[in-house]
Amino acid sequence: MFEKLIPIIEKANKIAIFTHTHPDGDAMGSSYALKLALTSIGKCCKVFLLDDPDASAFGLIIKGDDIELSLEDCDLAIALDCADSKRLGMYEEPFMSHPNSIAIDHHVTHVEFAKSGTVYSDISSTCELMFNLFKEMDISINKEIGNNIYVGLATDTGNFKYSCISGDTLRAAGELIDLGVDFASISKAAFDTKPKAYYDLMGIAIGKLRMVCDGKAAALYLESEDFKKAGIKESEANGIVNIPNSIEGVEVGAFIRKRDDDEYKVSLRSNKYIDVSEIAAERGGGGHVRASGYSVTGKTVDEIIQDLAEGLDKRWQD
């Protein structure tokens, strides 16, 4: 699986690790698992983490000691869980200009941007790819590395309920549990523990719920003022995105957030048969078959919902 990348990694001594903007559990889990794993075999590694990480996952990650290491000093740059270079945010330009770069990803809409790369869109998560990479490199997976991998496995599969999982995913999780990873605490913290402000925001969101496509799709809309009113950061409210899909009869759910700069971020989820990665890609975004997203500027929320409904209607007619 990684036969072309392993020699590149083994040759490097100082390694910079990057992931996407607004990093989630898989992004952070894979990044810090890789850092700990490569550090254990004598590499100097630093994770260049972008701001506003998913709050519920960030506290679960074991990060290890931080070291002073500049990108200019690194002889290898690795991007994890990034479907395209734009997802690197402020680190896009320095990563793209680095002479030795690798991308490891599992998004079906991945656009090649690194000098070398491995993409397996049929794998549940980038953390599952890390598990496989460490096995191929004969790196011992200890409890700390296993913890980070498990966080990504759990959060990117909805606690092992999404269709992206395979028997290999569950076998990897089982091996990590056998190592002593506290799976129960991870699941409780990531999925079943929310601040009261989260439910205040949920009430606001449900009040803005819109049903479209004869009840086969639903959309929620929130803006910055709603988060301020509820007293919660967007990074602490990641579960809101799943509300539309929990409604009986809904196949596709959309969560639309208006940012302060008049940009709208649209997150899509599907339950069974609509490939939302195609819808997102048509609008300049990407992601997975069941979970994707894109950004919009220059339109109102009504226009965004109408455009989405029209795109879905075409698919149902087909």
Side-chain angles (χ1 to χ4, degrees), residues 84-103:
D84 60 68
S85 64
K86 293 180 181 179
R87 295 283 282 147
L88 290 167
M90 63 180 286
Y91 292 125
E92 179 183 18
E93 191 281 326
F95 182 90
M96 296 299 290
S97 62
H98 198 281
N100 193 23
S101 60
I102 287 175

Side-chain angles (χ1 to χ4, degrees), residues 169-189:
T169 310
L170 297 177
R171 280 184 282 273
E175 186 170 328
L176 299 176
I177 291 170
D178 289 342
L179 280 175
V181 170
D182 190 352
F183 68 95
S185 293
I186 290 172
S187 296
K188 175 69 174 176

Side-chain angles (χ1 to χ4, degrees), residues 193-210:
T193 304
K194 306 291 184 185
K196 179 183 178 297
Y198 174 89
Y199 295 99
D200 293 335
L201 183 67
M202 181 184 290
I204 296 171
I206 291 174
K208 295 185 175 184
L209 179 71
R210 301 192 195 181

Side-chain angles (χ1 to χ4, degrees), residues 226-259:
D226 295 321
F227 289 92
K228 293 176 183 177
K229 182 179 179 180
I232 191 171
K233 297 179 181 178
E234 185 175 334
S235 60
E236 299 173 313
N238 61 322
I240 297 291
V241 68
N242 297 313
I243 291 176
N245 288 78
S246 67
I247 300 171
E248 184 178 6
V250 168
E251 165 61 17
V252 176
F255 178 32
I256 304 168
R257 285 94 82 206
K258 183 182 180 184
R259 299 285 169 76

Side-chain angles (χ1 to χ4, degrees), residues 10-260:
E10 290 179 335
K11 186 178 179 180
N13 293 309
K14 297 179 179 180
I15 301 171
I17 301 170
F18 300 89
T19 189
H20 58 74
T21 56
H22 306 293
D24 56 10
D26 190 32
M28 291 184 287
S30 59
S31 295
Y32 284 101
L34 182 61
K35 173 193 169 181
L36 295 180
L38 295 183
T39 299
S40 74
I41 59 171
K43 309 293 185 183
C44 293
C45 302
K46 183 177 180 66
V47 176
F48 291 81
L49 190 69
L50 289 154
D51 59 359
D52 202 26
D54 180 289
S56 62
F58 185 74
L60 298 171
I61 300 296
I62 297 173
K63 304 169 186 66
D65 296 331
D66 195 19
I67 62 172
E68 291 294 329
L69 186 64
S70 67
L71 179 58
E72 292 75 18
D73 293 332
C74 294
D75 46 11
L76 177 62
I78 301 178
L80 299 177
D81 204 38
C82 281
D84 60 68
S85 64
K86 293 180 181 179
R87 295 283 282 147
L88 290 167
M90 63 180 286
Y91 292 125
E92 179 183 18
E93 191 281 326
F95 182 90
M96 296 299 290
S97 62
H98 198 281
N100 193 23
S101 60
I102 287 175
I104 301 175
D105 186 32
H106 73 124
H107 291 89
V108 68
T109 57
H110 184 91
V111 178
E112 292 185 8
F113 61 90
K115 304 295 188 298
S116 303
T118 294
V119 179
Y120 286 91
S121 59
D122 58 345
I123 299 293
S124 73
S125 57
T126 302
C127 273
E128 185 174 347
L129 288 172
M130 290 298 100
F131 180 86
N132 295 333
L133 173 64
F134 303 156
K135 291 288 187 179
E136 288 190 33
M137 292 183 69
D138 291 323
I139 295 176
S140 177
I141 300 176
N142 59 28
K143 186 176 177 180
E144 289 72 28
I145 296 170
N147 175 89
N148 292 347
I149 295 174
Y150 193 92
V151 170
L153 288 179
T155 55
D156 241 33
T157 63
N159 215 12
F160 304 98
K161 68 181 180 183
Y162 296 159
S163 60
C164 62
I165 69 170
S166 67
D168 288 336
T169 310
L170 297 177
R171 280 184 282 273
E175 186 170 328
L176 299 176
I177 291 170
D178 289 342
L179 280 175
V181 170
D182 190 352
F183 68 95
S185 293
I186 290 172
S187 296
K188 175 69 174 176
F191 297 96
D192 299 327
T193 304
K194 306 291 184 185
K196 179 183 178 297
Y198 174 89
Y199 295 99
D200 293 335
L201 183 67
M202 181 184 290
I204 296 171
I206 291 174
K208 295 185 175 184
L209 179 71
R210 301 192 195 181
M211 304 297 294
V212 295
C213 300
D214 297 322
K216 291 181 288 188
L220 290 179
Y221 164 60
L222 291 173
E223 53 188 306
S224 297
E225 285 302 315
D226 295 321
F227 289 92
K228 293 176 183 177
K229 182 179 179 180
I232 191 171
K233 297 179 181 178
E234 185 175 334
S235 60
E236 299 173 313
N238 61 322
I240 297 291
V241 68
N242 297 313
I243 291 176
N245 288 78
S246 67
I247 300 171
E248 184 178 6
V250 168
E251 165 61 17
V252 176
F255 178 32
I256 304 168
R257 285 94 82 206
K258 183 182 180 184
R259 299 285 169 76
D260 290 328

